[in-house]
């Protein structure tokens, strides 16, 4: 008998998903972007204007300075480099000797006013995690727009010249996104450890490019991907596919467990996906959180239970999926 309803994610777990001590701040600086990718869960584009304010930026800098337990400041967007607060947050975090990650679309380096970003990132030893959904040109341009692949290759060449992917303190990681799901042909990303050498061989052979790691990320049914799935009448079947591939071994490694996700308004979420679906983090008494409240509490660890939703199956299917790629090996 075919299953017709999705198992609630918290029922699948059998117990609440709980927070561990917070060590990562992932900050969405805004929705301004020079691209409008078909798979973008943030729905960013050149037409969006939402971005961080000076007030929220100052609160974030205070948070970074006040809590030594923060090990990583992860900047995303939109194109984070385009949005207010990018450089102040990089410099505040590096001053406190935090790891800084910038999630870049690479093509931003060719936009007027942002051409110096690679040199800036190298100077501050920022780790760059860059989107390159495939190593083949046609697949990338279909997802991200005509000419994006060649611009991305040129950007990686420039980063390599600065030492990225070649010097120990200049880390460049790439991100693989599968094509959007098609009716009757759902699939999870290829195994990360197998796809990584294929990327490296092709990019080295054809363009003499180097990078550190490849991350594979599952298409989560939110943002533009969700709109696409609903338009094709495959949203529910795709969710069911993800549930059918649920892997309990992934849950202890989920990124939401030691991370706070912060939007450009200063609101707190358990992860970036919850942020985009407007599912805020809560204290045990049901109180919603902001950066200002965390500063008042003088405590980052005020969330006990993580808010879950059906799309959480996307992070726990197969080898798992996170902003750091697969959660477990397929060994």
């Amino acid at each position: 008998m075919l299953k017709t309803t999705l198992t609630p994610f918290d029922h699948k777990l059998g117990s609440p998903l709980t927070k561990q001590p917070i060590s990562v701040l992932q900050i969405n600086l805004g929705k301004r972007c020079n691209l409008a990718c078909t798979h973008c869960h943030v729905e960013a584009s050149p037409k969006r204007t939402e971005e961080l304010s000076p007030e929220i930026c100052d609160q974030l800098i205070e948070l970074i300075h006040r809590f030594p337990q923060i090990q990583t400041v992860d900047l995303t967007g939109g194109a984070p480099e385009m949005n207010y607060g990018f450089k102040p947050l990089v410099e505040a975090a590096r001053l406190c000797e935090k790891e800084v990650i910038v999630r870049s679309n690479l093509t931003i380096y060719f936009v007027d006013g942002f051409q110096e970003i690679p040199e800036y990132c190298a100077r501050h030893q920022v780790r760059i995690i860059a989107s390159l959904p495939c190593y083949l040109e046609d697949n990338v341009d279909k997802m991200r727009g005509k000419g994006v692949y060649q611009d991305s290759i040129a950007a990686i060449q420039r980063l390599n010249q600065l030492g990225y992917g070649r010097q120990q303190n200049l880390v460049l990681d790439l991100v693989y996104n599968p094509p959007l799901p098609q009716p009757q042909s759902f699939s999870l990303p290829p195994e990360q450890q197998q796809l990584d050498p294929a990327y490296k061989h092709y990019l080295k052979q054809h363009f003499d490019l180097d990078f550190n790691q490849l991350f594979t990320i599952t298409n989560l049914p939110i943002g533009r991907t969700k709109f696409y799935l609903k338009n094709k009448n495959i949203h529910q079947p795709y969710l069911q596919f993800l549930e059918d591939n649920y892997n309990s071994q992934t849950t202890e490694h989920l990124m939401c467990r030691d991370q706070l996700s912060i939007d450009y308004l200063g609101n707190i979420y358990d992860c970036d996906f919850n942020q985009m679906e407007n599912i805020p983090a809560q204290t045990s008494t049901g109180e919603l959180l902001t950066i200002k409240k965390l500063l008042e509490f003088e405590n980052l660890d005020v969330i006990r239970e993580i808010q879950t939703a059906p799309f959480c199956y996307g992070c726990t299917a197969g080898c798992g999926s996170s902003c750091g790629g697969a959660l477990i090996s397929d060994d």
Side-chain angles (χ1 to χ4, degrees):
M1 185 175 178
L2 289 175
K3 190 176 173 192
T4 57
T5 58
L6 206 69
T7 306
F9 188 75
D10 55 347
H11 292 188
K12 180 73 78 173
L13 294 178
S15 61
L17 190 61
T18 56
K19 281 285 194 192
Q20 298 168 344
I22 298 300
S23 60
V24 179
L25 294 184
Q26 187 174 73
I27 305 166
N28 188 297
L29 299 182
K31 297 182 182 290
R32 294 177 61 208
C33 189
N34 59 306
L35 299 178
C37 302
T38 58
H39 63 288
C40 180
H41 70 279
V42 181
E43 301 175 57
S45 82
K47 296 181 180 179
R48 302 298 292 263
T49 59
E50 306 96 315
E51 66 179 336
L52 202 68
S53 69
E55 178 187 8
I56 300 301
C57 184
D58 288 345
Q59 291 176 10
L60 283 165
I61 290 171
E62 185 175 352
L63 202 73
I64 290 166
H65 281 288
R66 191 182 295 188
F67 293 98
Q69 74 188 77
I70 299 170
Q71 298 173 14
T72 299
V73 176
D74 185 345
L75 303 178
T76 184
E81 304 96 331
M82 289 186 77
N83 289 274
Y84 182 85
F86 170 69
K87 289 184 177 180
L89 288 169
V90 167
E91 290 162 26
R94 294 302 293 140
L95 185 65
C96 296
E97 299 184 340
K98 316 288 188 189
E99 177 190 39
V100 175
I101 294 172
V102 172
R103 297 189 180 270
S104 181
N105 66 30
L106 296 174
T107 64
I108 187 65
Y109 304 159
F110 304 106
V111 175
D112 287 346
F114 303 99
Q115 293 98 329
E116 91 297 346
I117 291 296
E119 288 78 10
Y120 176 85
C121 288
R123 215 163 40 244
H124 293 281
Q125 297 184 6
V126 170
R127 179 182 177 187
I128 296 174
I129 299 182
S131 178
L132 190 70
C134 183
Y135 56 75
L136 300 175
E137 183 170 6
D138 187 53
N139 291 353
V140 171
D141 284 0
K142 282 180 180 177
M143 293 175 71
R144 313 197 69 197
K146 188 172 177 57
V148 168
Y149 180 83
Q150 288 298 331
D151 281 351
S152 298
I153 295 300
I156 297 171
Q157 288 172 332
R158 188 168 162 198
L159 291 171
N160 280 174
Q161 290 168 2
L162 292 169
Y164 271 99
R166 294 173 175 172
Q167 295 178 16
Q168 186 175 2
N169 60 350
L170 295 176
V171 177
L172 170 64
D173 299 319
L174 300 182
V175 176
Y176 164 87
N177 288 99
L180 289 171
Q182 299 297 316
Q184 310 306 317
S185 62
F186 300 148
S187 63
L188 296 173
E191 209 280 317
Q192 185 168 290
Q193 290 184 339
Q194 294 179 8
L195 192 58
D196 180 281
Y199 257 74
K200 285 178 176 170
H201 175 75
Y202 186 90
L203 294 177
K204 188 69 174 176
Q205 183 180 45
H206 289 81
F207 305 106
D208 192 29
L209 298 183
D210 296 296
F211 67 94
N212 295 89
Q213 298 180 76
L214 179 73
F215 298 147
T216 59
I217 296 183
T218 301
N219 279 320
L220 262 70
I222 58 178
R224 290 195 184 116
T225 299
K226 180 173 72 172
F227 293 141
Y228 164 84
L229 292 170
K230 288 191 170 183
N231 186 53
K232 297 286 186 181
N233 294 315
I234 54 174
H235 179 248
Q236 192 65 20
Y238 183 65
L239 279 170
Q240 188 61 63
F241 166 78
L242 295 175
E243 183 192 345
D244 291 343
N245 285 276
Y246 170 76
N247 186 343
S248 61
Q249 295 180 20
T250 62
T251 56
E252 66 177 288
H253 306 290
L254 288 168
M255 62 182 179
C256 55
R257 303 200 68 184
D258 64 355
Q259 174 192 101
L260 295 179
S261 173
I262 304 171
D263 71 9
Y264 60 90
L265 297 172
N267 300 308
I268 308 295
Y269 303 81
D270 291 309
C271 72
D272 185 56
F273 304 128
N274 277 6
Q275 181 184 143
M276 295 310 136
E277 289 291 292
N278 195 28
I279 304 173
Q282 298 181 23
T283 66
S284 57
T285 60
E287 184 177 3
L288 304 185
L289 294 166
T290 61
I291 306 168
K292 187 175 181 180
K293 285 183 181 177
L294 291 177
L295 290 168
E296 291 170 355
F297 292 152
E298 297 188 352
N299 186 359
L300 294 182
D301 299 307
V302 296
I303 302 166
R304 181 178 175 275
E305 293 186 11
I306 295 165
Q307 303 301 306
T308 61
F311 56 77
C312 296
Y313 284 118
C315 292
T316 54
C319 293
S321 179
S322 75
C323 289
L327 298 174
I328 60 173
S329 170
D330 199 25
D331 293 344

